[in-house]
Amino acid sequence: MENKLEIYSVSESSLIVYFGKAIDVNLPRDISSYAQQVTHAFPTAILNCTPSYTSLLIEFHPLKLDWLTLQRFISTIKPSLPRNDIAGNTITLPIFYDVSTGPDLTTMAEQLNLPKEQIIEFHHSTLYTVCAIGFAPGFAFLADVPENIRMPRLTEPRKRVPQGSVGIADRQTAVYPQTTPGGWNIIGNCPLQLYDATSPQTSRLKVGDKVQFSPISQREFFELGGTTCLDW
């Protein structure tokens, strides 16, 4: 890893490791590697590892592990060590791109001076990396959106964005795993359930995974359980 690690204490039972200062789709694999190796080295002391775009928050049991020991161990880790499945899986998600499921397609086409069909093509022809999970349970931040279809967040967030909505915010894209408020530009909908609190693996996506979007017809969308939103 070319970036120099920065390690800071957050509390008596947690620390945060910074791997860089800017979004880099190459970082998630290394951050996942560190999380796995720390958990493997201290299985009874590590309580949780929370990765983000550029950092890893590590929470530990202060009676089983001290800050200095953990810091020293982190400094010895090499991301080139065996990672098993850390490189992540490639997951294909079916998306119904349409103004009925993507109310911001028309506005984006006007502001970007691109046909809706081209926006859709640019979006689904890109292979994305899951860089972080957050905002809401199972909400996976994916990067990088092609530069020519990047759009800033809405000036006024919606009070209700339906589950499965596919959004764009600057260089990020995501699928809303639950119905929540949100301010991303919505261009379609994924009929698959991405988050299930009752499942052993609650989220279908994890940091380091690759995501490919695949356009589907309205018929296929409904057959997979999709529904359209009548009131945006």
Side-chain angles (χ1 to χ4, degrees):
M1 178 180 296
E2 296 180 358
N3 296 305
K4 183 178 179 181
L5 297 182
E6 296 181 9
I7 307 173
Y8 299 99
S9 173
V10 177
S11 70
E12 64 179 8
S13 61
S14 63
L15 59 78
I16 190 166
V17 186
Y18 288 100
F19 296 79
K21 297 182 179 180
I23 294 176
D24 183 346
V25 295
N26 294 311
L27 284 181
R29 184 175 65 174
D30 289 326
I31 294 175
S32 294
S33 175
Y34 273 72
Q36 185 188 66
Q37 292 180 63
V38 165
T39 302
H40 179 75
F42 309 101
T44 64
I46 299 300
L47 303 178
N48 193 34
C49 287
T50 306
S52 75
Y53 274 108
T54 59
S55 66
L56 178 66
L57 176 66
I58 303 174
E59 299 171 89
F60 58 92
H61 196 304
L63 299 181
K64 298 181 179 181
L65 181 63
D66 63 87
W67 192 93
L68 186 58
T69 299
L70 180 55
Q71 180 193 37
R72 286 173 175 169
F73 177 78
I74 291 171
S75 299
T76 68
I77 294 176
K78 301 296 182 184
S80 59
L81 293 176
R83 302 176 180 178
N84 298 327
D85 295 327
I86 282 177
N89 302 312
T90 298
I91 298 169
T92 300
L93 297 179
I95 307 297
F96 177 45
Y97 294 97
D98 188 74
V99 292
S100 63
T101 56
D104 296 313
L105 268 173
T106 300
T107 301
M108 287 183 63
E110 294 172 351
Q111 295 187 12
L112 298 172
N113 195 28
L114 289 172
K116 297 184 187 73
E117 294 77 15
Q118 197 165 3
I119 293 173
I120 294 169
E121 182 177 354
F122 278 126
H123 186 262
H124 78 72
S125 63
T126 301
L127 183 64
Y128 299 95
T129 299
V130 180
C131 294
I133 304 289
F135 166 63
F139 191 99
F141 292 86
L142 314 177
D144 271 342
V145 169
E147 188 172 357
N148 51 356
I149 61 168
R150 293 176 186 175
M151 288 283 289
R153 287 174 171 81
L154 302 178
T155 54
E156 185 176 345
R158 293 185 172 93
K159 295 180 179 179
R160 181 182 182 277
V161 178
Q163 176 179 311
S165 293
V166 180
I168 291 177
D170 298 310
R171 57 190 295 186
Q172 305 168 107
T173 187
V175 179
Y176 282 70
Q178 301 166 317
T179 298
T180 62
W184 292 33
N185 301 276
I186 306 303
I187 62 173
N189 192 282
C190 174
L192 303 184
Q193 185 173 5
L194 300 185
Y195 177 80
D196 182 0
T198 65
S199 173
Q201 183 178 330
T202 56
S203 178
R204 187 184 292 261
L205 305 177
K206 65 180 185 299
V207 173
D209 282 345
K210 301 291 184 181
V211 175
Q212 183 76 63
F213 294 120
S214 178
I216 58 174
S217 66
Q218 185 180 60
R219 178 182 59 80
E220 292 171 311
F221 177 66
F222 288 142
E223 288 177 350
L224 289 171
T227 58
T228 55
C229 179
L230 300 179
D231 183 13
W232 284 95

